[in-house]
């Protein structure tokens, strides 16, 4: 069983949930973040488990040999046996060009895999957070019969489209090309460790890291907030081209199981709970949170807001091999709503 873990992106939405699960299971975790300030915030958010935590600063994951020192750990401490990589750009705020998605995703991944190969002989497994963005064909979201995606599918987006398309295309392509490069690296370099890639769809859920303002929400929860909590009763039911979701806590569970289950080695998993539409979310919010009645779109309660023939995803592999169980949408929506409304309330109190 793994004893010491390196986790990149540990200060992020998904990274902090993985960190929480690892610490709760007693692992020692070294968190790779961009600045000491971000590391200090992790210490604060996980103060009760401070003795299991270390921080390493990797200021620029694109730079050559970016992870060389980080993967070697601190002298005098046991070396790492597992590395989790979640650090990758996923925000559409202040993005200057598509390369700002593509380069850190691809070079960050390759720099990490190379560093582990060259400098961390004790590592047995690298667990890489991908996305269903590397699985789904976003130009064909509905069909008859509806398409069911599996781990065998790959988004057919081209490099040209990635560089010249809109920023959402660039983000999705960043996950696709980074994952392709990771598997190519494994094939060509035959390193001493194995690789597991986990591809979640829209990931939502309560936050494990602290933020003081709704404006600091990560992209997926920010989108949920904007469309379902900060709207009007009369607004059209929101639609996005992502028809499946997972709760962040179930994704973190899959990540930790990917570390523990030997058969997960060199496997790709889609980590998806089920199909959803925004009408489903709004119905739950309106039923459970009367204070949202004027802020949440009404739509046509009880109906599907997805287009006919909307794609879905087969999650049988992750259920069978990693024994992941997915909580209900109701539980996810209620928990995320409590969390977001709490942040909003604290923010308002701080302003008064
Ligand atoms: P967050 O924005 O909360 O976290 C992203 C993490 O990556 C942060 O630690 C961030 O560090 C780091 N990061 C981003 N850009 C860079 C960069 N250029 N150099 C170094 N570090 C960087 O997002 P999530 O937690 O949601 O995303 C984590 C991973 O999960 C990503 O790989 C994302 O693609 C993937 N994912 C997310 C989904 C979702 O719906 N949330 C769905 C599918 C996949 P910093 O704070 O310094 O910016």
């Amino acid at each position: 069983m793994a004893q010491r873990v390196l986790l990149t992106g540990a200060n992020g939405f998904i990274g902090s949930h993985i960190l929480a699960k690892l610490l709760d299971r007693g692992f020692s975790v070294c968190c790779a973040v961009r600045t000491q300030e971000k590391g200090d915030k992790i210490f604060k958010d996980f103060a009760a488990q401070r003795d299991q935590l270390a921080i390493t600063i990797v200021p620029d994951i694109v730079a050559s040999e970016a992870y060389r020192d980080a993967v070697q750990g601190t002298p005098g401490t046991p070396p790492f046996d597992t590395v989790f990589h979640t650090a990758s750009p996923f925000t559409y705020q202040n993005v200057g060009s598509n390369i700002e998605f593509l380069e850190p995703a691809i070079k960050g991944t390759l720099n990490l895999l190379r560093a582990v190969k060259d400098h961390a002989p004790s590592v047995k497994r690298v667990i890489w957070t991908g996305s269903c963005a590397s699985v789904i064909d976003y130009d064909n979201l509905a069909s008859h019969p509806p398409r069911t995606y599996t781990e065998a599918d790959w988004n057919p987006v081209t490099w040209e489209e990635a560089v010249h398309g809109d920023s959402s295309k660039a983000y999705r392509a960043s996950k696709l090309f980074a994952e392709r490069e990771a598997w190519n690296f494994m094939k060509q370099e035959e390193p001493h460790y194995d690789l597991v890639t986990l591809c979640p769809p829209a990931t939502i859920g309560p936050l494990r890291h602290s933020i003081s303002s709704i404006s600091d929400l990560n992209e997926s929860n920010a989108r949920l907030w904007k469309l379902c909590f900060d709207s009007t009763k009369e607004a059209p039911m929101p639609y996005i081209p992502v028809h499946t979701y997972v709760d962040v806590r179930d994704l973190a569970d899959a990540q930790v199981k990917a570390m523990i289950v030997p058969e997960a080695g060199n496997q790709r998993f889609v980590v998806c709970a089920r199909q959803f539409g925004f009408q489903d979310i709004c119905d739950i919010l309106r039923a459970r949170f009367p204070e949202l009645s004027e802020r949440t779109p009404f739509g046509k309660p009880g109906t599907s807001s997805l287009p006919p023939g909307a794609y879905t995803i087969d999650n049988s592999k992750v259920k069978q091999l990693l024994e992941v169980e997915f909580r209900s949408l109701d539980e996810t929506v209620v928990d995320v709503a409590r969390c977001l409304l709490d942040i909003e309330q604290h923010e308002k109190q701080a302003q008064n």
Side-chain angles (χ1 to χ4, degrees):
M1 180 179 272
Q3 295 297 314
R4 213 170 129 68
V5 172
L6 177 68
L7 169 63
T8 76
N11 62 318
F13 169 55
I14 292 173
S16 59
H17 276 277
I18 299 172
L19 177 59
K21 284 240 187 272
L22 291 168
L23 295 175
D24 288 347
R25 281 176 167 252
F27 297 116
S28 296
V29 186
C30 179
C31 303
V33 290
R34 285 203 254 198
T35 64
Q36 187 58 49
E37 197 188 354
K38 290 173 198 250
D40 290 342
K41 191 158 163 293
I42 293 177
F43 284 145
K44 209 170 144 207
D45 287 346
F46 292 88
Q49 288 148 312
R50 174 71 179 81
D51 57 339
Q52 289 165 256
L53 272 172
I55 299 295
T56 183
I57 308 300
V58 179
D60 179 10
I61 64 175
V62 170
S64 147
E65 302 252 42
Y67 283 107
R68 186 192 57 204
D69 295 341
V71 299
Q72 295 179 67
T74 328
T77 55
F80 301 119
D81 39 33
T82 307
V83 175
F84 288 85
H85 186 53
T86 76
S88 204
F90 185 27
T91 172
Y92 296 109
Q93 284 175 24
N94 306 320
V95 178
S97 89
N98 288 0
I99 294 299
E100 288 175 32
F101 286 108
L102 295 161
E103 209 172 41
I106 299 167
K107 288 194 179 165
T109 296
L110 287 176
N111 282 340
L112 182 75
L113 294 176
R114 166 66 57 200
V116 176
K117 183 180 181 209
D118 291 349
H119 304 291
S122 56
V123 170
K124 296 179 186 64
R125 179 164 292 175
V126 173
I127 298 162
W128 185 86
T129 302
S131 169
C132 280
S134 73
V135 176
I136 309 298
D137 177 359
Y138 289 87
D139 291 329
N140 293 292
L141 294 167
S143 58
H144 300 281
R147 184 163 173 189
T148 300
Y149 285 91
T150 71
E151 285 80 4
D153 294 304
W154 293 84
N155 179 348
V157 67
T158 65
W159 181 256
E160 274 296 292
E161 291 170 315
V163 174
H164 300 297
D166 62 23
S167 53
S168 62
K169 202 154 234 178
Y171 166 68
R172 291 174 191 145
S174 78
K175 302 305 289 182
L176 170 77
F177 288 105
E179 188 181 5
R180 280 206 182 282
E181 289 296 324
W183 286 118
N184 284 343
F185 180 95
M186 296 302 289
K187 202 167 155 195
Q188 284 161 14
E189 300 277 335
E190 297 182 351
H192 57 275
Y193 53 86
D194 61 26
L195 176 70
V196 184
T197 64
L198 299 177
C199 300
T203 305
I204 54 175
L207 268 54
R208 180 56 186 82
H209 64 302
S210 60
I211 59 170
S212 49
S213 165
I214 287 289
S215 61
D216 294 335
L217 277 175
N218 67 291
E219 187 65 34
S220 52
N221 281 321
R223 187 158 49 195
L224 186 68
W225 175 265
K226 182 165 168 267
L227 298 177
C228 300
F229 292 75
D230 198 23
S231 181
T232 62
K233 186 179 175 181
E234 297 76 24
M237 190 48 60
Y239 171 76
I240 59 168
V242 179
H243 301 166
T244 55
Y245 82 98
V246 68
D247 185 296
V248 67
R249 295 163 291 184
D250 298 335
L251 172 59
D253 183 42
Q255 299 258 1
V256 175
K257 286 180 171 155
M259 169 174 81
I260 291 163
V261 174
E263 297 76 25
N266 289 324
Q267 297 284 335
R268 182 187 202 215
F269 294 92
V270 288
V271 189
C272 164
R274 59 188 69 81
Q275 200 186 53
F276 84 112
F278 277 95
Q279 182 77 59
D280 305 323
I281 292 184
C282 292
D283 286 355
I284 297 168
L285 287 175
R286 298 180 62 83
R288 303 290 291 269
F289 297 88
E291 67 268 42
L292 290 175
S293 63
E294 297 301 318
R295 296 167 58 177
T296 297
F298 188 79
K300 294 183 185 148
T303 65
S304 169
S305 54
L306 290 175
Y311 76 82
T312 187
I313 292 179
D314 175 0
N315 63 6
S316 53
K317 182 173 175 180
V318 74
K319 275 176 155 172
Q320 281 162 19
L321 209 56
L322 299 188
E323 296 184 354
V324 175
E325 287 173 16
F326 295 101
R327 67 198 70 212
S328 67
L329 181 63
D330 201 81
E331 184 180 342
T332 299
V333 171
V334 168
D335 289 351
V336 76
R338 286 196 182 120
C339 171
L340 299 189
L341 291 171
D342 200 43
I343 294 166
E344 181 188 52
Q345 196 189 352
H346 278 95
E347 187 175 359
K348 279 186 182 155
Q349 280 166 356
Q351 283 163 358
N352 289 332

